[in-house]
Amino acid sequence: MTFHRIASSRLMFRLVLCFGLATLLTTSGQSCAPTGGGGTDNGNGGGNNNNNGGSTSAGNWHTFPSLIGGPYPHVRAMTIFNGELVAAGRFKFDTGNGIAHNIASWNGSAWHPLGSIDDEDKFVLALTVYNGKLVAAGSFTSVNGGTPATEIASWDGSTWTPININANSEIWALTVFNGDLIVGGRFFMIDNENVHGLVRWDGSNWHTMGSGLNVALAFAIYHDELYAAGTILGAPAGQLPGFVSRWDGTNWQPVGGGLDNYANALVVYNGELVAGGLFAKAGGVPANNVASWNGTRWQALGEGTGDIVHALSVFDGKLVVGGKFVLDGDGRNHIANWNGSSWAGYGDGLKNWVFSLAEFGGKLIAGGQVTQPSPVGLIEAQPIVQFVP
């Protein structure tokens, strides 16, 4: 495997990123923040307003007709591949069409296995589509019932093929940018080469990207530039790490003073870049775990969420936010939407953390976790549900 290093500025000192339990969420064949590949712009609305709203979208949450089983399953990433919804995370269950190991596809009426991502105690954390193939990444170590695969592999419709990255830790984020596969996580070495948090794959070789990032938890494409939820290595003295960084083709740059703590998810909404995570300020402005960047300055989105945001997406012209937060009343438990001026909930809300969001068949899909000791899922004991108006 050949590496090529992209030019980078001299490192001055190292900053350590305190990262959270992020997942990379996808909705349209790529990843990111995904709602699409690394934050594709698939929605409208946005902006900033301090009207905190309090309404609820008509409808409610429902389980799928066929349920995901297994002990305490998780759905940590979703995308669309070959016209079907792909859900991945940590689970094992009989679909009725075969056993699904950590990844399965939904065709609108039934679940189907997509080969096997083997490790029952590991996770798939990110999905995207690259060169016509589904790419899955996370913390797993084998596919196809025993073929070694270090954290990343591609699916051609019939079998998994390892992508030989040999990272020394988990992969959290995937996207496609300028025809290359961008891979991010908390790794700092690939094949004994220092790479620091992310690399790009041109289909034949891996390439470093400047001095790298301490960790990369999410990606988005905004104004045709690549943005990452991650901290710049070797930031100049006196410059805050920012936790959101922009790739200028040679080096990583801070974004408007950035955030005062980490972001888990990025998405583009109404012509602005939105970041969600665990932070109190964006660009020095108070912002409660979610904020937007308009290319010039950061803005808060009303009252925000009050607790960790893990997933961002766009659905029905609104920004959708999922995570740990629990807000009183109006269905904003673990999930809410922002219409550009106010927040609203969905039905009765959900009962557990949301880690991924997608749109399929005109419905909003939420993926999350089932926790113990008694099984508590998003609703009932399910890690994936759909909102039906």
Side-chain angles (χ1 to χ4, degrees), residues 208-270:
T208 57
M209 300 183 72
S211 59
L213 302 173
N214 273 306
V215 67
L217 298 179
F219 297 118
I221 312 303
Y222 178 58
H223 290 334
D224 298 321
E225 292 185 300
L226 176 66
Y227 285 72
T231 307
I232 299 171
L233 275 167
Q239 177 178 294
L240 294 175
F243 299 97
V244 176
S245 306
R246 177 181 61 85
W247 175 247
D248 67 5
T250 303
N251 297 302
W252 290 97
Q253 304 293 340
V255 179
L259 314 176
D260 67 348
N261 207 346
Y262 67 85
N264 287 322
L266 300 173
V267 73
V268 176
Y269 171 66
N270 192 32

Side-chain angles (χ1 to χ4, degrees), residues 29-31 37-38 128-131 174-182 219 221 226:
Q30 296 181 336
S31 81
T128 194
V129 177
Y130 177 64
N131 285 347
L174 298 170
T175 195
V176 177
F177 178 66
N178 287 345
D180 292 337
L181 177 66
I182 311 297
F219 297 118
I221 312 303
L226 176 66

Side-chain angles (χ1 to χ4, degrees), residues 33 50 160 208 236 245 286 298 306 314 321 354 370 378:
N50 289 324
W160 289 99
T208 57
S245 306
W298 288 96
V314 177
V321 179
V354 172
V370 176
L378 298 183

